[in-house]
Amino acid sequence: MNASMNANRIAALGANAAANVDVEVVAHTGSTNADLLARATDLARPTLLVAEHQSAGRGRAGRSWLSAAGASLTFSLAWKFSGAPQRLLGLPLATGVALAEAVAAQGVPVQLKWPNDVLKDGAKLAGILIETRGAVDGGTWAVIGVGMNLLMPDDMEQRIGRTVAAAPWLARMDRDVLMAALLSALVRAMQQFEAAGFAAFRARWDGLHAWRAQMVAITDASVVLQQGMAVGVDDSGRLLLDTVDGRVAVLAGDVSLRRAGHWANNCASTGADR
């Protein structure tokens, strides 16, 4: 593992698909997503920003993403899409597919939790946060933020307050090589999403779905909104549930996915999503 990551080396190690991406590495920042979002309208090309340590990382719905220096991989990719932000509904799921396949190619099998988590052995290994900003020419800049746990120090797990996953095998890799592999996979996914939308990823996402055919509950602030059997996702990236009232499609947003302990009795588990 490199003590310090190198932007030029990451770019050189990336596949041809990543040749048009500007790569930047900083030792420390508050949030790579916030940094790129602030610069989005001034960017000339897709840009990858990697932080060796991030002190103010954010997860979905404004939650904090805690990380320790050297124990995780934190980065954001700014990518410009044609059209309005509404067409990017399934982008977090497509990003999850790209990350899961890239990690599996390194010998670490993972699964996906709707809408934006990568799981290893049932615990969270990585999270995805996507924020958008309108481009001057009418397109949309998407800033795709990723936080991936490589090691999990005991004190960090205590601060997080729940069991989380780590990937020591990935932690032993050359960090530049790992980042280049993830970047290459993400670039291919962004190009495919631009061309065909989430429909091109649907079957792959369903194949990685951690809770398929299990009873789950959709909650918001511990209030159960929907519960039923998780079937998969549709071509837009909405979660499909078979409920007592029939099949429903749930939009991504501020809702959280929970296992339902006793679905038939209208009970659901509670707790923190992150």
Side-chain angles (χ1 to χ4, degrees):
M1 180 182 71
N2 288 345
S4 179
M5 298 176 72
N6 184 282
N8 291 333
R9 189 163 178 261
I10 292 170
L13 289 167
N16 290 338
N20 293 321
V21 178
D22 291 333
V23 179
E24 304 173 8
V25 175
V26 296
H28 177 273
T29 192
S31 164
T32 56
N33 252 41
D35 291 349
L36 283 185
L37 201 64
R39 298 166 48 195
T41 56
D42 298 322
L43 295 175
R45 306 201 309 167
T47 301
L48 173 75
L49 177 60
V50 184
E52 298 197 25
H53 181 234
Q54 182 173 261
S55 59
R58 292 168 292 128
R60 189 166 57 89
R63 301 177 181 94
S64 296
W65 177 274
L66 299 178
S67 61
S72 62
L73 195 60
T74 53
F75 61 91
S76 296
L77 174 65
W79 192 275
K80 186 175 153 188
F81 291 91
S82 60
Q86 289 77 8
R87 70 178 295 264
L88 304 181
L89 177 63
L91 187 58
L93 284 78
T95 300
V97 170
L99 292 174
E101 291 176 347
V103 168
Q106 305 302 324
V108 180
V110 294
Q111 293 180 298
L112 297 174
K113 171 193 167 189
W114 183 87
N116 61 347
D117 290 347
V118 179
L119 306 182
K120 177 177 175 287
D121 300 326
K124 184 169 179 175
L125 179 71
I128 300 159
L129 174 67
I130 297 182
E131 298 175 285
T132 60
R133 176 154 294 178
V136 176
D137 62 0
T140 302
W141 278 99
V143 178
I144 302 112
V146 176
M148 181 178 295
N149 302 321
L150 301 180
L151 300 172
M152 186 48 57
D154 290 342
D155 60 337
M156 179 59 64
E157 190 165 31
Q158 289 173 3
R159 288 177 60 194
I160 294 172
R162 59 176 175 76
T163 301
V164 291
W169 174 253
L170 298 182
R172 289 194 291 269
M173 285 184 64
D174 182 309
R175 214 48 86 87
D176 291 343
V177 172
L178 174 59
M179 187 66 253
L182 296 176
L183 174 61
S184 298
L186 287 171
V187 168
R188 288 191 293 268
M190 298 304 108
Q191 294 171 336
Q192 189 172 20
F193 190 93
E194 175 69 64
F198 179 69
F201 296 84
R202 178 182 178 182
R204 290 150 66 191
W205 196 95
D206 280 344
L208 292 163
H209 188 185
W211 291 354
R212 187 170 187 173
Q214 295 191 52
M215 297 301 182
V216 298
I218 306 300
T219 67
D220 185 5
S222 297
V223 176
V224 176
L225 304 179
Q226 293 281 357
Q227 53 186 346
M229 179 180 289
V231 178
V233 292
D234 65 11
D235 283 348
S236 297
R238 297 178 299 179
L239 180 67
L240 299 176
L241 294 183
D242 279 346
T243 74
V244 292
D245 297 317
R247 181 164 294 183
V248 299
V250 180
L251 284 168
D254 291 339
V255 295
S256 300
L257 185 65
R258 302 283 192 266
R259 290 180 185 270
H262 301 285
W263 181 61
N265 294 324
N266 198 35
C267 297
S269 62
T270 61
D273 181 45
R274 294 187 178 278

